[in-house]
Every structure is written in C-alpha cells, then in structure tokens.
Amino acid sequence: MRICQALDLVDSPALIAEYQVHHQRIWPEVAAHLRQHGILDMEIYRLGTRLFMVMEVSDAFDPATFAEASNANPHIQRWEALMWQYQLPTPWTPPGDKWVTMDRLFSLADQPAAQ
C-alpha cells in the first residue's frame, strides 16, 4: 500500500539546506524503526517549502501502532524534535499533527485502456 503525506518547511534557505543534509543519511535508529514497523520504502520530495512524502508499507502496517511506538522511542522523539526546527504544518494540518495524509485524486491504473 502507498501512503502520501505533506508537510511544510520553514521558509529559510539555510534551514532547508540543513534539513536536506540530515536526510542524506538519517540516523540508523530511525531507519531501523521505520523498517521494523512495516515501512518498506520512503521517499521525500520538495517543491519550495512544501514536502511530499511517499511511503510504501506492508499489509501489516498500522498507523496507530506506529504512532504509539514512535512516541515511546527516545531516538525517534529526539529525531522528531530536531526535525521540528525545520518543519511547519501545512495550512490544512489539524492542530497537533505533523505530516498529513493526502487524498489520491487520480491513478492511471484506474483508467480504461485504449481500444
């Protein structure tokens, strides 16, 4: 299953550059945590200050379980605190949330093949 989410960055070229450096090689504990909870692949794209994340997750992935485990993991909490220096919620993000799941509008796979 694919999950797509959005988040914004602080509008600062210096902070955006730092954020990108942090993501060239994330902490091993963070990568292990993601994989341990059924995240098979993750990519983050940027346009200006808007981030777009694509996650491929296993059938066993449970967002509530993942959130609970993330909140209980001190490495993840340190990483999230560090990242929050660079990140901002989008205008559509509910209070207290960070990454917000996007609604899929279109899939070519859902379209009929040409006759």
Side-chain angles (χ1 to χ4, degrees), residues 77-101:
Q77 289 306 299
R78 282 188 18 246
W79 175 261
E80 291 298 333
L82 175 62
M83 291 303 105
W84 202 235
Q85 297 175 64
Y86 309 103
Q87 299 168 333
L88 294 170
T90 71
W92 309 279
T93 303
D97 286 352
K98 232 176 155 175
W99 288 95
V100 64
T101 300

PDB file of all heavy atoms in Angstrom, residues 77-101:
ATOM      1  N   GLN A  77      11.883  10.285  19.220  1.00  0.00           N
ATOM      2  CA  GLN A  77      11.487  11.559  19.813  1.00  0.00           C
ATOM      3  C   GLN A  77      12.584  12.620  19.646  1.00  0.00           C
ATOM      4  O   GLN A  77      12.281  13.785  19.365  1.00  0.00           O
ATOM      5  CB  GLN A  77      11.111  11.375  21.283  1.00  0.00           C
ATOM      6  CG  GLN A  77       9.809  10.621  21.460  1.00  0.00           C
ATOM      7  CD  GLN A  77       8.677  11.271  20.673  1.00  0.00           C
ATOM      8  OE1 GLN A  77       8.317  12.418  20.905  1.00  0.00           O
ATOM      9  NE2 GLN A  77       8.116  10.537  19.714  1.00  0.00           N
ATOM     10  N   ARG A  78      13.853  12.230  19.791  1.00  0.00           N
ATOM     11  CA  ARG A  78      14.959  13.169  19.569  1.00  0.00           C
ATOM     12  C   ARG A  78      15.005  13.602  18.105  1.00  0.00           C
ATOM     13  O   ARG A  78      15.218  14.782  17.794  1.00  0.00           O
ATOM     14  CB  ARG A  78      16.288  12.537  19.991  1.00  0.00           C
ATOM     15  CG  ARG A  78      16.487  12.557  21.487  1.00  0.00           C
ATOM     16  CD  ARG A  78      17.860  12.124  21.988  1.00  0.00           C
ATOM     17  NE  ARG A  78      18.935  12.118  21.038  1.00  0.00           N
ATOM     18  CZ  ARG A  78      19.578  11.011  20.599  1.00  0.00           C
ATOM     19  NH1 ARG A  78      19.241   9.821  21.033  1.00  0.00           N
ATOM     20  NH2 ARG A  78      20.573  11.116  19.736  1.00  0.00           N
ATOM     21  N   TRP A  79      14.829  12.635  17.180  1.00  0.00           N
ATOM     22  CA  TRP A  79      14.825  12.946  15.751  1.00  0.00           C
ATOM     23  C   TRP A  79      13.687  13.907  15.427  1.00  0.00           C
ATOM     24  O   TRP A  79      13.872  14.899  14.719  1.00  0.00           O
ATOM     25  CB  TRP A  79      14.709  11.653  14.935  1.00  0.00           C
ATOM     26  CG  TRP A  79      14.577  11.886  13.464  1.00  0.00           C
ATOM     27  CD1 TRP A  79      13.419  11.878  12.739  1.00  0.00           C
ATOM     28  CD2 TRP A  79      15.629  12.154  12.524  1.00  0.00           C
ATOM     29  NE1 TRP A  79      13.687  12.134  11.406  1.00  0.00           N
ATOM     30  CE2 TRP A  79      15.036  12.303  11.252  1.00  0.00           C
ATOM     31  CE3 TRP A  79      17.005  12.276  12.634  1.00  0.00           C
ATOM     32  CZ2 TRP A  79      15.776  12.564  10.105  1.00  0.00           C
ATOM     33  CZ3 TRP A  79      17.742  12.538  11.490  1.00  0.00           C
ATOM     34  CH2 TRP A  79      17.126  12.680  10.249  1.00  0.00           C
ATOM     35  N   GLU A  80      12.497  13.615  15.936  1.00  0.00           N
ATOM     36  CA  GLU A  80      11.339  14.464  15.654  1.00  0.00           C
ATOM     37  C   GLU A  80      11.537  15.871  16.214  1.00  0.00           C
ATOM     38  O   GLU A  80      11.167  16.853  15.570  1.00  0.00           O
ATOM     39  CB  GLU A  80      10.059  13.831  16.197  1.00  0.00           C
ATOM     40  CG  GLU A  80       9.633  12.583  15.454  1.00  0.00           C
ATOM     41  CD  GLU A  80       9.320  12.823  13.989  1.00  0.00           C
ATOM     42  OE1 GLU A  80       8.926  13.951  13.608  1.00  0.00           O
ATOM     43  OE2 GLU A  80       9.467  11.870  13.197  1.00  0.00           O
ATOM     44  N   ALA A  81      12.123  15.983  17.391  1.00  0.00           N
ATOM     45  CA  ALA A  81      12.391  17.309  17.966  1.00  0.00           C
ATOM     46  C   ALA A  81      13.382  18.074  17.091  1.00  0.00           C
ATOM     47  O   ALA A  81      13.215  19.282  16.854  1.00  0.00           O
ATOM     48  CB  ALA A  81      12.919  17.164  19.395  1.00  0.00           C
ATOM     49  N   LEU A  82      14.407  17.381  16.610  1.00  0.00           N
ATOM     50  CA  LEU A  82      15.370  18.012  15.708  1.00  0.00           C
ATOM     51  C   LEU A  82      14.691  18.460  14.415  1.00  0.00           C
ATOM     52  O   LEU A  82      14.855  19.595  13.966  1.00  0.00           O
ATOM     53  CB  LEU A  82      16.517  17.041  15.405  1.00  0.00           C
ATOM     54  CG  LEU A  82      17.561  17.503  14.389  1.00  0.00           C
ATOM     55  CD1 LEU A  82      18.292  18.750  14.881  1.00  0.00           C
ATOM     56  CD2 LEU A  82      18.536  16.370  14.097  1.00  0.00           C
ATOM     57  N   MET A  83      13.886  17.586  13.814  1.00  0.00           N
ATOM     58  CA  MET A  83      13.237  17.908  12.543  1.00  0.00           C
ATOM     59  C   MET A  83      12.233  19.042  12.691  1.00  0.00           C
ATOM     60  O   MET A  83      12.050  19.844  11.771  1.00  0.00           O
ATOM     61  CB  MET A  83      12.532  16.664  11.968  1.00  0.00           C
ATOM     62  CG  MET A  83      13.485  15.576  11.503  1.00  0.00           C
ATOM     63  SD  MET A  83      14.665  16.139  10.246  1.00  0.00           S
ATOM     64  CE  MET A  83      16.165  16.278  11.210  1.00  0.00           C
ATOM     65  N   TRP A  84      11.591  19.143  13.845  1.00  0.00           N
ATOM     66  CA  TRP A  84      10.565  20.167  14.039  1.00  0.00           C
ATOM     67  C   TRP A  84      11.155  21.568  13.995  1.00  0.00           C
ATOM     68  O   TRP A  84      10.436  22.545  13.790  1.00  0.00           O
ATOM     69  CB  TRP A  84       9.806  19.905  15.333  1.00  0.00           C
ATOM     70  CG  TRP A  84       8.455  20.545  15.373  1.00  0.00           C
ATOM     71  CD1 TRP A  84       7.993  21.392  16.341  1.00  0.00           C
ATOM     72  CD2 TRP A  84       7.376  20.415  14.433  1.00  0.00           C
ATOM     73  NE1 TRP A  84       6.702  21.793  16.050  1.00  0.00           N
ATOM     74  CE2 TRP A  84       6.305  21.206  14.897  1.00  0.00           C
ATOM     75  CE3 TRP A  84       7.213  19.703  13.250  1.00  0.00           C
ATOM     76  CZ2 TRP A  84       5.091  21.313  14.208  1.00  0.00           C
ATOM     77  CZ3 TRP A  84       6.002  19.805  12.566  1.00  0.00           C
ATOM     78  CH2 TRP A  84       4.966  20.597  13.046  1.00  0.00           C
ATOM     79  N   GLN A  85      12.489  21.698  14.118  1.00  0.00           N
ATOM     80  CA  GLN A  85      13.139  23.003  13.966  1.00  0.00           C
ATOM     81  C   GLN A  85      13.024  23.506  12.527  1.00  0.00           C
ATOM     82  O   GLN A  85      13.130  24.709  12.280  1.00  0.00           O
ATOM     83  CB  GLN A  85      14.627  22.905  14.314  1.00  0.00           C
ATOM     84  CG  GLN A  85      14.907  22.518  15.741  1.00  0.00           C
ATOM     85  CD  GLN A  85      16.395  22.334  15.947  1.00  0.00           C
ATOM     86  OE1 GLN A  85      17.159  23.289  15.814  1.00  0.00           O
ATOM     87  NE2 GLN A  85      16.786  21.118  16.261  1.00  0.00           N
ATOM     88  N   TYR A  86      12.842  22.582  11.591  1.00  0.00           N
ATOM     89  CA  TYR A  86      12.806  22.896  10.165  1.00  0.00           C
ATOM     90  C   TYR A  86      11.399  22.844   9.584  1.00  0.00           C
ATOM     91  O   TYR A  86      11.161  23.374   8.505  1.00  0.00           O
ATOM     92  CB  TYR A  86      13.676  21.900   9.390  1.00  0.00           C
ATOM     93  CG  TYR A  86      15.068  21.759   9.943  1.00  0.00           C
ATOM     94  CD1 TYR A  86      15.431  20.656  10.712  1.00  0.00           C
ATOM     95  CD2 TYR A  86      16.031  22.736   9.697  1.00  0.00           C
ATOM     96  CE1 TYR A  86      16.716  20.531  11.226  1.00  0.00           C
ATOM     97  CE2 TYR A  86      17.313  22.617  10.206  1.00  0.00           C
ATOM     98  CZ  TYR A  86      17.651  21.513  10.971  1.00  0.00           C
ATOM     99  OH  TYR A  86      18.913  21.397  11.476  1.00  0.00           O
ATOM    100  N   GLN A  87      10.504  22.165  10.255  1.00  0.00           N
ATOM    101  CA  GLN A  87       9.201  21.845   9.694  1.00  0.00           C
ATOM    102  C   GLN A  87       8.094  22.750  10.234  1.00  0.00           C
ATOM    103  O   GLN A  87       8.181  23.259  11.345  1.00  0.00           O
ATOM    104  CB  GLN A  87       8.849  20.384  10.009  1.00  0.00           C
ATOM    105  CG  GLN A  87       9.829  19.400   9.433  1.00  0.00           C
ATOM    106  CD  GLN A  87       9.632  17.988   9.981  1.00  0.00           C
ATOM    107  OE1 GLN A  87       9.150  17.797  11.085  1.00  0.00           O
ATOM    108  NE2 GLN A  87      10.025  17.010   9.183  1.00  0.00           N
ATOM    109  N   LEU A  88       7.046  22.876   9.415  1.00  0.00           N
ATOM    110  CA  LEU A  88       5.828  23.595   9.786  1.00  0.00           C
ATOM    111  C   LEU A  88       4.634  22.782   9.302  1.00  0.00           C
ATOM    112  O   LEU A  88       4.704  22.145   8.251  1.00  0.00           O
ATOM    113  CB  LEU A  88       5.775  24.964   9.099  1.00  0.00           C
ATOM    114  CG  LEU A  88       6.805  26.009   9.492  1.00  0.00           C
ATOM    115  CD1 LEU A  88       6.731  27.194   8.527  1.00  0.00           C
ATOM    116  CD2 LEU A  88       6.565  26.458  10.917  1.00  0.00           C
ATOM    117  N   PRO A  89       3.523  22.832  10.019  1.00  0.00           N
ATOM    118  CA  PRO A  89       2.324  22.166   9.494  1.00  0.00           C
ATOM    119  C   PRO A  89       1.817  22.913   8.262  1.00  0.00           C
ATOM    120  O   PRO A  89       2.024  24.113   8.131  1.00  0.00           O
ATOM    121  CB  PRO A  89       1.330  22.260  10.653  1.00  0.00           C
ATOM    122  CG  PRO A  89       1.811  23.411  11.483  1.00  0.00           C
ATOM    123  CD  PRO A  89       3.299  23.480  11.301  1.00  0.00           C
ATOM    124  N   THR A  90       1.177  22.196   7.366  1.00  0.00           N
ATOM    125  CA  THR A  90       0.536  22.862   6.226  1.00  0.00           C
ATOM    126  C   THR A  90      -0.679  23.638   6.741  1.00  0.00           C
ATOM    127  O   THR A  90      -1.125  23.415   7.871  1.00  0.00           O
ATOM    128  CB  THR A  90       0.050  21.847   5.166  1.00  0.00           C
ATOM    129  OG1 THR A  90      -1.085  21.146   5.690  1.00  0.00           O
ATOM    130  CG2 THR A  90       1.147  20.877   4.755  1.00  0.00           C
ATOM    131  N   PRO A  91      -1.245  24.510   5.936  1.00  0.00           N
ATOM    132  CA  PRO A  91      -2.458  25.218   6.364  1.00  0.00           C
ATOM    133  C   PRO A  91      -3.639  24.272   6.625  1.00  0.00           C
ATOM    134  O   PRO A  91      -4.594  24.661   7.290  1.00  0.00           O
ATOM    135  CB  PRO A  91      -2.762  26.155   5.192  1.00  0.00           C
ATOM    136  CG  PRO A  91      -1.457  26.331   4.487  1.00  0.00           C
ATOM    137  CD  PRO A  91      -0.724  25.035   4.666  1.00  0.00           C
ATOM    138  N   TRP A  92      -3.580  23.042   6.123  1.00  0.00           N
ATOM    139  CA  TRP A  92      -4.679  22.083   6.246  1.00  0.00           C
ATOM    140  C   TRP A  92      -4.419  21.018   7.301  1.00  0.00           C
ATOM    141  O   TRP A  92      -5.202  20.092   7.441  1.00  0.00           O
ATOM    142  CB  TRP A  92      -4.936  21.427   4.895  1.00  0.00           C
ATOM    143  CG  TRP A  92      -5.083  22.463   3.833  1.00  0.00           C
ATOM    144  CD1 TRP A  92      -6.203  23.191   3.538  1.00  0.00           C
ATOM    145  CD2 TRP A  92      -4.057  22.930   2.964  1.00  0.00           C
ATOM    146  NE1 TRP A  92      -5.933  24.084   2.534  1.00  0.00           N
ATOM    147  CE2 TRP A  92      -4.607  23.951   2.155  1.00  0.00           C
ATOM    148  CE3 TRP A  92      -2.711  22.612   2.783  1.00  0.00           C
ATOM    149  CZ2 TRP A  92      -3.887  24.627   1.189  1.00  0.00           C
ATOM    150  CZ3 TRP A  92      -1.984  23.294   1.821  1.00  0.00           C
ATOM    151  CH2 TRP A  92      -2.579  24.290   1.032  1.00  0.00           C
ATOM    152  N   THR A  93      -3.314  21.139   8.030  1.00  0.00           N
ATOM    153  CA  THR A  93      -2.945  20.144   9.030  1.00  0.00           C
ATOM    154  C   THR A  93      -3.704  20.381  10.329  1.00  0.00           C
ATOM    155  O   THR A  93      -3.702  21.510  10.847  1.00  0.00           O
ATOM    156  CB  THR A  93      -1.427  20.202   9.300  1.00  0.00           C
ATOM    157  OG1 THR A  93      -0.733  20.001   8.060  1.00  0.00           O
ATOM    158  CG2 THR A  93      -0.995  19.149  10.294  1.00  0.00           C
ATOM    159  N   PRO A  94      -4.357  19.349  10.868  1.00  0.00           N
ATOM    160  CA  PRO A  94      -5.049  19.515  12.151  1.00  0.00           C
ATOM    161  C   PRO A  94      -4.069  19.900  13.266  1.00  0.00           C
ATOM    162  O   PRO A  94      -2.908  19.487  13.246  1.00  0.00           O
ATOM    163  CB  PRO A  94      -5.652  18.130  12.414  1.00  0.00           C
ATOM    164  CG  PRO A  94      -5.734  17.473  11.073  1.00  0.00           C
ATOM    165  CD  PRO A  94      -4.567  18.009  10.294  1.00  0.00           C
ATOM    166  N   PRO A  95      -4.521  20.685  14.230  1.00  0.00           N
ATOM    167  CA  PRO A  95      -3.651  21.084  15.339  1.00  0.00           C
ATOM    168  C   PRO A  95      -3.026  19.861  16.025  1.00  0.00           C
ATOM    169  O   PRO A  95      -3.696  18.856  16.257  1.00  0.00           O
ATOM    170  CB  PRO A  95      -4.596  21.815  16.293  1.00  0.00           C
ATOM    171  CG  PRO A  95      -5.719  22.283  15.429  1.00  0.00           C
ATOM    172  CD  PRO A  95      -5.868  21.240  14.351  1.00  0.00           C
ATOM    173  N   GLY A  96      -1.734  19.966  16.297  1.00  0.00           N
ATOM    174  CA  GLY A  96      -1.026  18.893  16.972  1.00  0.00           C
ATOM    175  C   GLY A  96      -0.449  17.839  16.050  1.00  0.00           C
ATOM    176  O   GLY A  96       0.337  17.003  16.489  1.00  0.00           O
ATOM    177  N   ASP A  97      -0.842  17.842  14.781  1.00  0.00           N
ATOM    178  CA  ASP A  97      -0.334  16.869  13.817  1.00  0.00           C
ATOM    179  C   ASP A  97       0.849  17.459  13.068  1.00  0.00           C
ATOM    180  O   ASP A  97       1.105  18.668  13.116  1.00  0.00           O
ATOM    181  CB  ASP A  97      -1.412  16.457  12.817  1.00  0.00           C
ATOM    182  CG  ASP A  97      -2.452  15.528  13.425  1.00  0.00           C
ATOM    183  OD1 ASP A  97      -2.252  15.082  14.573  1.00  0.00           O
ATOM    184  OD2 ASP A  97      -3.457  15.258  12.751  1.00  0.00           O
ATOM    185  N   LYS A  98       1.553  16.583  12.353  1.00  0.00           N
ATOM    186  CA  LYS A  98       2.706  16.994  11.576  1.00  0.00           C
ATOM    187  C   LYS A  98       2.440  16.658  10.107  1.00  0.00           C
ATOM    188  O   LYS A  98       1.790  17.407   9.407  1.00  0.00           O
ATOM    189  CB  LYS A  98       3.940  16.246  12.104  1.00  0.00           C
ATOM    190  CG  LYS A  98       5.099  17.113  12.435  1.00  0.00           C
ATOM    191  CD  LYS A  98       6.216  16.284  13.027  1.00  0.00           C
ATOM    192  CE  LYS A  98       7.504  16.989  12.786  1.00  0.00           C
ATOM    193  NZ  LYS A  98       8.640  16.372  13.395  1.00  0.00           N
ATOM    194  N   TRP A  99       2.937  15.514   9.680  1.00  0.00           N
ATOM    195  CA  TRP A  99       2.668  15.058   8.322  1.00  0.00           C
ATOM    196  C   TRP A  99       1.175  14.761   8.210  1.00  0.00           C
ATOM    197  O   TRP A  99       0.594  14.131   9.084  1.00  0.00           O
ATOM    198  CB  TRP A  99       3.461  13.784   8.022  1.00  0.00           C
ATOM    199  CG  TRP A  99       4.924  14.008   7.850  1.00  0.00           C
ATOM    200  CD1 TRP A  99       5.886  13.879   8.811  1.00  0.00           C
ATOM    201  CD2 TRP A  99       5.603  14.371   6.651  1.00  0.00           C
ATOM    202  NE1 TRP A  99       7.126  14.141   8.286  1.00  0.00           N
ATOM    203  CE2 TRP A  99       6.973  14.448   6.946  1.00  0.00           C
ATOM    204  CE3 TRP A  99       5.179  14.642   5.355  1.00  0.00           C
ATOM    205  CZ2 TRP A  99       7.931  14.783   6.001  1.00  0.00           C
ATOM    206  CZ3 TRP A  99       6.134  14.976   4.412  1.00  0.00           C
ATOM    207  CH2 TRP A  99       7.487  15.037   4.734  1.00  0.00           C
ATOM    208  N   VAL A 100       0.549  15.197   7.129  1.00  0.00           N
ATOM    209  CA  VAL A 100      -0.879  14.956   6.925  1.00  0.00           C
ATOM    210  C   VAL A 100      -1.057  14.137   5.648  1.00  0.00           C
ATOM    211  O   VAL A 100      -0.420  14.407   4.623  1.00  0.00           O
ATOM    212  CB  VAL A 100      -1.679  16.280   6.892  1.00  0.00           C
ATOM    213  CG1 VAL A 100      -1.295  17.152   5.734  1.00  0.00           C
ATOM    214  CG2 VAL A 100      -3.161  16.017   6.912  1.00  0.00           C
ATOM    215  N   THR A 101      -1.885  13.104   5.750  1.00  0.00           N
ATOM    216  CA  THR A 101      -2.119  12.216   4.614  1.00  0.00           C
ATOM    217  C   THR A 101      -2.935  12.929   3.545  1.00  0.00           C
ATOM    218  O   THR A 101      -3.922  13.610   3.835  1.00  0.00           O
ATOM    219  CB  THR A 101      -2.824  10.924   5.077  1.00  0.00           C
ATOM    220  OG1 THR A 101      -1.979  10.278   6.036  1.00  0.00           O
ATOM    221  CG2 THR A 101      -3.086   9.988   3.915  1.00  0.00           C
TER     222      THR A 101
END
